[in-house]
Amino acid sequence: VRNGTADIAGVYGDDRITAANNGLTPTAAYMNLNCVMITRAGFEGKVSRAAVVERRAGIIGMQLRNNGNNVSLLAYDNNNECYRALMNGEVDAIYSSFAIATWQLNLHGSGKLSINAVPGVSVELNGAVAAGQYLLRSILNKAIRYTTPQLQSIISNNTMQSGTLQTFIDKLPA
């Protein structure tokens, strides 16, 4: 988007100040995702170091500090690197969205990981356009406003393990 090869970044998670510094303007948020803490199964110690995807480190760190949690965050390039760091003992936990935690459980097996809610910490999921693209941003914001109710269903259908009772129940018509 910044160099003009694309008009829209469909998934963008930085705050408005960072976006402006990068020549971008975020769209309206299309989903607010609760954060969770992922640990190795059976971990019962105090979390002193945690992995987080680099693009979310600032916002998650600020919310954790505002809630009195002074865990040291180590930023990694992507979720796979965070998982590797957790399994290699470089960190005690991973802070991520619930959708990513579900994906990690499905990918690596629920017997290896444990998930705990992190009250008061969440991240917005939004898009971004190049700074100055006000008409495009306005069109996207209108589309977001009308499609937001279906997004939770889309995430559930694409992150849950198929063939489970929970998946069957979730796919039943309302």
Side-chain angles (χ1 to χ4, degrees), residues 54-82:
E54 187 170 1
R55 70 179 180 274
R56 302 279 191 201
I59 192 70
I60 290 176
M62 180 184 70
Q63 291 180 59
L64 287 169
R65 285 188 300 279
N66 288 344
N67 289 323
N69 188 333
N70 293 320
V71 65
S72 175
L73 294 180
L74 302 174
Y76 292 88
D77 289 337
N78 57 52
N79 292 302
N80 289 329
E81 290 297 314
C82 290

Side-chain angles (χ1 to χ4, degrees), residues 10-14 16 25-33 56 122-128 137 140-149 151:
V11 179
Y12 185 79
D14 282 331
R16 294 189 183 283
T25 302
T27 65
Y30 46 85
M31 183 163 273
N32 193 7
L33 301 170
R56 302 279 191 201
S122 62
V123 293
E124 288 183 340
L125 202 52
N126 55 308
R137 181 175 175 255
L140 289 171
N141 285 345
K142 286 179 184 175
I144 289 167
R145 190 168 46 247
Y146 291 112
T147 60
T148 296
L151 288 176

Side-chain angles (χ1 to χ4, degrees), residues 12-148:
Y12 185 79
D14 282 331
D15 58 75
R16 294 189 183 283
I17 295 170
T18 304
N21 289 339
N22 289 321
L24 300 171
T25 302
T27 65
Y30 46 85
M31 183 163 273
N32 193 7
L33 301 170
N34 293 324
C35 274
V36 295
M37 180 179 68
I38 306 168
T39 58
R40 291 178 302 282
F43 178 83
E44 293 184 16
K46 182 180 186 310
V47 174
S48 59
R49 297 166 307 165
V52 65
V53 174
E54 187 170 1
R55 70 179 180 274
R56 302 279 191 201
I59 192 70
I60 290 176
M62 180 184 70
Q63 291 180 59
L64 287 169
R65 285 188 300 279
N66 288 344
N67 289 323
N69 188 333
N70 293 320
V71 65
S72 175
L73 294 180
L74 302 174
Y76 292 88
D77 289 337
N78 57 52
N79 292 302
N80 289 329
E81 290 297 314
C82 290
Y83 177 80
R84 183 198 52 74
L86 177 67
M87 299 316 285
N88 288 341
E90 297 170 27
V91 295
D92 303 316
I94 300 170
Y95 283 101
S96 72
S97 69
F98 183 72
I100 293 297
T102 303
W103 173 74
Q104 292 281 13
L105 282 174
N106 290 337
L107 186 64
H108 302 292
S110 60
K112 294 181 180 179
L113 302 171
S114 178
I115 297 176
N116 292 296
V118 182
V121 180
S122 62
V123 293
E124 288 183 340
L125 202 52
N126 55 308
V129 297
Q133 293 290 331
Y134 303 111
L135 180 60
L136 179 57
R137 181 175 175 255
S138 176
I139 292 167
L140 289 171
N141 285 345
K142 286 179 184 175
I144 289 167
R145 190 168 46 247
Y146 291 112
T147 60
T148 296

Side-chain angles (χ1 to χ4, degrees), residues 161-174:
Q161 287 180 315
S162 59
T164 66
L165 177 61
Q166 183 64 46
T167 305
F168 174 76
I169 292 169
D170 287 343
K171 290 184 177 183
L172 289 174

